[in-house]
Amino acid sequence: MIPGSETKTDADAHFDASAAPPVAPRRPNRALMHGRLRDDPYAWLAADNWRDVLRDPATLPKDIANLVKAENAYCDRVMAPLKALRETLVAEMRARIKEDDSDVPDKDGHYAYYGRFREGGEQPLYCRTPREGGAEELLLDGEALAENHDFFDIGEMTHSPDHAQLAWSVDDMGSELYAIRTRPLTDGVDRPDVVIDTDGSLVWSADSKAFYYVRVDENHRTAQVYRHEIGADPAQDRLVVEERDGAWFVSLRESCCRRFAIVSIRGHDAAECWLIDLRDAHARPQLVAPRETHLRYDVEPHGDLIYIHNNAGGADDFRISVAPLAAPARENWREIIPHRQGAMIVAHLVFARFLVWLVSENSLPRLMVRDLASGEEHAIAFEEEAYSLYIDAGLEFDTTTLRFTYSSMTTPEEIYDYDMATRTRVLRKRQEIPSGHDPKKYVTRRLFAPAPDGESVPITLLHRADFAPGAGAPLLLYGYGAYGDALSASFDEDALSLVDRGFVYAYAHVRGGADKGWDWYEKGKLEHKPNSFSDFLAVARHLIATGYTREGWIVAQGASAGGMLMGVIANEAPQLFAGIIATVPFVDVLNTMLRDDLPLTPPEWLEWGNPVADPAVYDRLASYSPYDNIVAQPYPPILAIAGLNDPRVTYWEPLKWVAKLRATMSGGGPVLLHTQMGAGHSGASGRFESLEDTALEYAFAIACAAKLQN
């Protein structure tokens, strides 16, 4: 049996050791930079026509395509004994999903809008009813539209201000290139003026005659905002905002007051915002404050004022200021919510009569509300040891209702409408687990691991109530640690399939995320990036020392930049781990940061450093880049997952990584690669199709744990 498990059949989970892995040919490739010679015999796996592959995977060169297929076949062969387990896992996870689920309706004007699913449906339906109830009107049938598509991801479904039209965007390749279509709601037929190559976001003009959108350029970067007139030729769309520096991302959203489109231009350490008046077809964008190094801000207009969430003047964990809308320059900012170190203001919303902000302190969130007329403030309190919290701006500005979502690793998602005037809350929806869920059978804990430099690294973990630390158990340890993204202690119904098999399930809130404030992020980037790795290993060792697990019993997991973390810890401390799962892993760090033609490279020089311009950065990246630091040592079993159409972490990074691992390692394994041939960075698009991905990962983890009995 798996230690701590009551499911005997899972203890029989094993890999097929008889399968022979594919061998990628080595082809000479040497490059000299800063006097350093770099030998990369697998460089040929990066197709020169990668831009074409994102649009049409069939254009992948045949020799590379054959290797990708051979890797998939090998993964299937090794995982073949786990077929029944994977099917069981999918059935378990699907049984926890309400198949005909629906959203809480969001009121706007005379209607209430919501999404829902048909029983067994993969894709959502977008619907509305009269505001106070009545017959449903189906506005968009995602399930029908997705027929005959292997991948189908709807980006936005947005009705027009006059409630007579719908605009919607879709990516049907997984390459994050969205097409925007509009339809009159009288007949529901899409118009022929389709806008292609967008990031999927859009904002309607106030008169419902046009919309604004973000175009993606030839290097797959968001660089321009255009205005499209309904029914016009998209080739004639008017350019409104353009960013020429490839190191900056352009994004678009509607203000809470619905008067403006807000264009945010962001780098990794600074931002710049522009406002477009949605009432004026010829409006020129208004700059709020020009970009400054290290100045990060975002805005919400409100009448004659503008509310600014910002880090000006050394406010690392942010403050909220106001300024006149007519004169929003930096010198006119006046602080109204002060900065407090360690209590990071994560986000803010501005309603007609209330200001709301979300604060995270020591990786726990809380909500604050201020009455704009009286200035009176109050907090919305929660009791669990670890939990997650999200706020929703909704569709109406002049309202006393704030909608928020609460959950924890033991408590399924709960959606509340909170009356900011009366300070009362109403539960609108509790996530239903059709197969049943008793929170009392599980325990969520918040621990802290001592890091080598004296910092305390937060840990959030989940285990069954009948488990007690001591002898230890198999443990899945998830980490990320980049871009200031904090890991959320939210409910994950899929994780119960591991926990019910005796696993402890844990998050390591390592530096590089903003889990303990913005400084926690700053201390995990650039020259401080190794802190992310040492933090993760400190968490692993602390969980061993406190009896939650044992050395060699941990399955580590990370995705994207968290996949880089997986690659580093595999090189540095393979003996700690029973297995490693690296999803769309950023593992060829040095080579990727040397290529300024790739979509994310110039923007990410501020996250990792620029090895083209600085030999010291070159050396630093070379010192930890997972691909460049593989050595002749035993490695634990490794499962890498890639997306052929992934524009963020290109397919060749994990392909090169597994090839070099197998050619270099002195024992251990197996090392597996599964490439999704019709998906990108986020995997399968359907809500049930994605369970196959999770079942593959969990079956791998269970098989790694089952080896512990031998």
Side-chain angles (χ1 to χ4, degrees), residues 2-19:
I2 297 173
S5 171
E6 298 176 358
T7 310
K8 182 174 175 57
T9 53
D10 292 346
D12 299 327
H14 65 279
F15 302 120
D16 181 351
S18 68

PDB file of all heavy atoms in Angstrom, residues 2-19:
ATOM      1  N   ILE A   2       0.342   2.329  -0.608  1.00  0.00           N
ATOM      2  CA  ILE A   2       0.981   3.625  -0.462  1.00  0.00           C
ATOM      3  C   ILE A   2       0.914   4.007   1.004  1.00  0.00           C
ATOM      4  O   ILE A   2      -0.144   3.891   1.629  1.00  0.00           O
ATOM      5  CB  ILE A   2       0.252   4.689  -1.307  1.00  0.00           C
ATOM      6  CG1 ILE A   2       0.339   4.329  -2.798  1.00  0.00           C
ATOM      7  CG2 ILE A   2       0.816   6.069  -1.069  1.00  0.00           C
ATOM      8  CD1 ILE A   2      -0.491   5.233  -3.671  1.00  0.00           C
ATOM      9  N   PRO A   3       2.023   4.432   1.628  1.00  0.00           N
ATOM     10  CA  PRO A   3       1.974   4.800   3.042  1.00  0.00           C
ATOM     11  C   PRO A   3       0.853   5.789   3.318  1.00  0.00           C
ATOM     12  O   PRO A   3       0.738   6.816   2.656  1.00  0.00           O
ATOM     13  CB  PRO A   3       3.350   5.413   3.287  1.00  0.00           C
ATOM     14  CG  PRO A   3       4.228   4.768   2.261  1.00  0.00           C
ATOM     15  CD  PRO A   3       3.361   4.574   1.056  1.00  0.00           C
ATOM     16  N   GLY A   4       0.011   5.467   4.268  1.00  0.00           N
ATOM     17  CA  GLY A   4      -1.100   6.342   4.637  1.00  0.00           C
ATOM     18  C   GLY A   4      -2.329   6.151   3.784  1.00  0.00           C
ATOM     19  O   GLY A   4      -3.339   6.799   3.993  1.00  0.00           O
ATOM     20  N   SER A   5      -2.273   5.260   2.786  1.00  0.00           N
ATOM     21  CA  SER A   5      -3.400   5.090   1.883  1.00  0.00           C
ATOM     22  C   SER A   5      -4.258   3.911   2.291  1.00  0.00           C
ATOM     23  O   SER A   5      -3.776   2.922   2.818  1.00  0.00           O
ATOM     24  CB  SER A   5      -2.901   4.879   0.456  1.00  0.00           C
ATOM     25  OG  SER A   5      -3.973   4.506  -0.390  1.00  0.00           O
ATOM     26  N   GLU A   6      -5.572   4.026   2.007  1.00  0.00           N
ATOM     27  CA  GLU A   6      -6.467   2.916   2.256  1.00  0.00           C
ATOM     28  C   GLU A   6      -6.919   2.288   0.936  1.00  0.00           C
ATOM     29  O   GLU A   6      -7.818   1.474   0.899  1.00  0.00           O
ATOM     30  CB  GLU A   6      -7.682   3.400   3.054  1.00  0.00           C
ATOM     31  CG  GLU A   6      -7.304   3.959   4.422  1.00  0.00           C
ATOM     32  CD  GLU A   6      -8.496   4.519   5.169  1.00  0.00           C
ATOM     33  OE1 GLU A   6      -9.598   4.501   4.602  1.00  0.00           O
ATOM     34  OE2 GLU A   6      -8.337   4.951   6.315  1.00  0.00           O
ATOM     35  N   THR A   7      -6.300   2.721  -0.170  1.00  0.00           N
ATOM     36  CA  THR A   7      -6.714   2.235  -1.476  1.00  0.00           C
ATOM     37  C   THR A   7      -5.662   1.286  -2.005  1.00  0.00           C
ATOM     38  O   THR A   7      -4.703   1.684  -2.647  1.00  0.00           O
ATOM     39  CB  THR A   7      -6.909   3.424  -2.445  1.00  0.00           C
ATOM     40  OG1 THR A   7      -7.720   4.393  -1.810  1.00  0.00           O
ATOM     41  CG2 THR A   7      -7.564   2.984  -3.735  1.00  0.00           C
ATOM     42  N   LYS A   8      -5.861  -0.022  -1.767  1.00  0.00           N
ATOM     43  CA  LYS A   8      -4.826  -1.013  -2.047  1.00  0.00           C
ATOM     44  C   LYS A   8      -4.480  -1.071  -3.526  1.00  0.00           C
ATOM     45  O   LYS A   8      -3.310  -1.211  -3.901  1.00  0.00           O
ATOM     46  CB  LYS A   8      -5.276  -2.388  -1.560  1.00  0.00           C
ATOM     47  CG  LYS A   8      -4.224  -3.486  -1.772  1.00  0.00           C
ATOM     48  CD  LYS A   8      -4.658  -4.770  -1.149  1.00  0.00           C
ATOM     49  CE  LYS A   8      -3.683  -5.903  -1.449  1.00  0.00           C
ATOM     50  NZ  LYS A   8      -2.328  -5.596  -1.015  1.00  0.00           N
ATOM     51  N   THR A   9      -5.482  -0.929  -4.398  1.00  0.00           N
ATOM     52  CA  THR A   9      -5.212  -1.073  -5.823  1.00  0.00           C
ATOM     53  C   THR A   9      -4.246  -0.002  -6.311  1.00  0.00           C
ATOM     54  O   THR A   9      -3.465  -0.243  -7.221  1.00  0.00           O
ATOM     55  CB  THR A   9      -6.519  -0.978  -6.628  1.00  0.00           C
ATOM     56  OG1 THR A   9      -7.201   0.231  -6.260  1.00  0.00           O
ATOM     57  CG2 THR A   9      -7.422  -2.160  -6.325  1.00  0.00           C
ATOM     58  N   ASP A  10      -4.276   1.185  -5.716  1.00  0.00           N
ATOM     59  CA  ASP A  10      -3.374   2.247  -6.136  1.00  0.00           C
ATOM     60  C   ASP A  10      -1.929   1.925  -5.791  1.00  0.00           C
ATOM     61  O   ASP A  10      -1.008   2.431  -6.416  1.00  0.00           O
ATOM     62  CB  ASP A  10      -3.769   3.573  -5.483  1.00  0.00           C
ATOM     63  CG  ASP A  10      -5.097   4.087  -6.016  1.00  0.00           C
ATOM     64  OD1 ASP A  10      -5.553   3.576  -7.046  1.00  0.00           O
ATOM     65  OD2 ASP A  10      -5.666   4.993  -5.384  1.00  0.00           O
ATOM     66  N   ALA A  11      -1.707   1.092  -4.776  1.00  0.00           N
ATOM     67  CA  ALA A  11      -0.346   0.735  -4.403  1.00  0.00           C
ATOM     68  C   ALA A  11       0.310  -0.121  -5.474  1.00  0.00           C
ATOM     69  O   ALA A  11       1.532  -0.246  -5.510  1.00  0.00           O
ATOM     70  CB  ALA A  11      -0.337   0.002  -3.070  1.00  0.00           C
ATOM     71  N   ASP A  12      -0.506  -0.709  -6.344  1.00  0.00           N
ATOM     72  CA  ASP A  12       0.029  -1.512  -7.435  1.00  0.00           C
ATOM     73  C   ASP A  12       0.401  -0.651  -8.641  1.00  0.00           C
ATOM     74  O   ASP A  12       0.856  -1.174  -9.659  1.00  0.00           O
ATOM     75  CB  ASP A  12      -1.005  -2.562  -7.871  1.00  0.00           C
ATOM     76  CG  ASP A  12      -1.339  -3.510  -6.723  1.00  0.00           C
ATOM     77  OD1 ASP A  12      -0.444  -3.781  -5.909  1.00  0.00           O
ATOM     78  OD2 ASP A  12      -2.503  -3.963  -6.649  1.00  0.00           O
ATOM     79  N   ALA A  13       0.188   0.651  -8.541  1.00  0.00           N
ATOM     80  CA  ALA A  13       0.513   1.547  -9.644  1.00  0.00           C
ATOM     81  C   ALA A  13       2.013   1.512  -9.914  1.00  0.00           C
ATOM     82  O   ALA A  13       2.821   1.612  -9.000  1.00  0.00           O
ATOM     83  CB  ALA A  13       0.073   2.974  -9.305  1.00  0.00           C
ATOM     84  N   HIS A  14       2.358   1.366 -11.180  1.00  0.00           N
ATOM     85  CA  HIS A  14       3.772   1.312 -11.526  1.00  0.00           C
ATOM     86  C   HIS A  14       3.964   1.732 -12.973  1.00  0.00           C
ATOM     87  O   HIS A  14       3.014   1.789 -13.764  1.00  0.00           O
ATOM     88  CB  HIS A  14       4.314  -0.108 -11.318  1.00  0.00           C
ATOM     89  CG  HIS A  14       3.699  -1.133 -12.234  1.00  0.00           C
ATOM     90  ND1 HIS A  14       2.477  -1.713 -11.977  1.00  0.00           N
ATOM     91  CD2 HIS A  14       4.137  -1.680 -13.406  1.00  0.00           C
ATOM     92  CE1 HIS A  14       2.177  -2.565 -12.943  1.00  0.00           C
ATOM     93  NE2 HIS A  14       3.166  -2.560 -13.825  1.00  0.00           N
ATOM     94  N   PHE A  15       5.201   2.033 -13.313  1.00  0.00           N
ATOM     95  CA  PHE A  15       5.561   2.373 -14.681  1.00  0.00           C
ATOM     96  C   PHE A  15       5.985   1.113 -15.432  1.00  0.00           C
ATOM     97  O   PHE A  15       6.444   0.141 -14.824  1.00  0.00           O
ATOM     98  CB  PHE A  15       6.720   3.374 -14.702  1.00  0.00           C
ATOM     99  CG  PHE A  15       6.440   4.651 -13.957  1.00  0.00           C
ATOM    100  CD1 PHE A  15       7.236   5.034 -12.879  1.00  0.00           C
ATOM    101  CD2 PHE A  15       5.402   5.481 -14.329  1.00  0.00           C
ATOM    102  CE1 PHE A  15       6.995   6.208 -12.189  1.00  0.00           C
ATOM    103  CE2 PHE A  15       5.145   6.660 -13.647  1.00  0.00           C
ATOM    104  CZ  PHE A  15       5.947   7.023 -12.574  1.00  0.00           C
ATOM    105  N   ASP A  16       5.858   1.145 -16.738  1.00  0.00           N
ATOM    106  CA  ASP A  16       6.383   0.075 -17.579  1.00  0.00           C
ATOM    107  C   ASP A  16       7.856   0.369 -17.835  1.00  0.00           C
ATOM    108  O   ASP A  16       8.196   1.264 -18.608  1.00  0.00           O
ATOM    109  CB  ASP A  16       5.597   0.014 -18.892  1.00  0.00           C
ATOM    110  CG  ASP A  16       6.080  -1.109 -19.810  1.00  0.00           C
ATOM    111  OD1 ASP A  16       7.119  -1.723 -19.513  1.00  0.00           O
ATOM    112  OD2 ASP A  16       5.417  -1.352 -20.833  1.00  0.00           O
ATOM    113  N   ALA A  17       8.723  -0.392 -17.178  1.00  0.00           N
ATOM    114  CA  ALA A  17      10.163  -0.146 -17.283  1.00  0.00           C
ATOM    115  C   ALA A  17      10.773  -0.756 -18.529  1.00  0.00           C
ATOM    116  O   ALA A  17      11.964  -0.550 -18.806  1.00  0.00           O
ATOM    117  CB  ALA A  17      10.866  -0.700 -16.042  1.00  0.00           C
ATOM    118  N   SER A  18       9.982  -1.489 -19.308  1.00  0.00           N
ATOM    119  CA  SER A  18      10.543  -2.165 -20.479  1.00  0.00           C
ATOM    120  C   SER A  18      10.627  -1.268 -21.705  1.00  0.00           C
ATOM    121  O   SER A  18      11.311  -1.604 -22.676  1.00  0.00           O
ATOM    122  CB  SER A  18       9.701  -3.397 -20.814  1.00  0.00           C
ATOM    123  OG  SER A  18       8.403  -3.018 -21.273  1.00  0.00           O
ATOM    124  N   ALA A  19       9.933  -0.148 -21.674  1.00  0.00           N
ATOM    125  CA  ALA A  19       9.906   0.728 -22.848  1.00  0.00           C
ATOM    126  C   ALA A  19      11.241   1.439 -23.016  1.00  0.00           C
ATOM    127  O   ALA A  19      11.870   1.856 -22.049  1.00  0.00           O
ATOM    128  CB  ALA A  19       8.776   1.743 -22.713  1.00  0.00           C
TER     129      ALA A  19
END
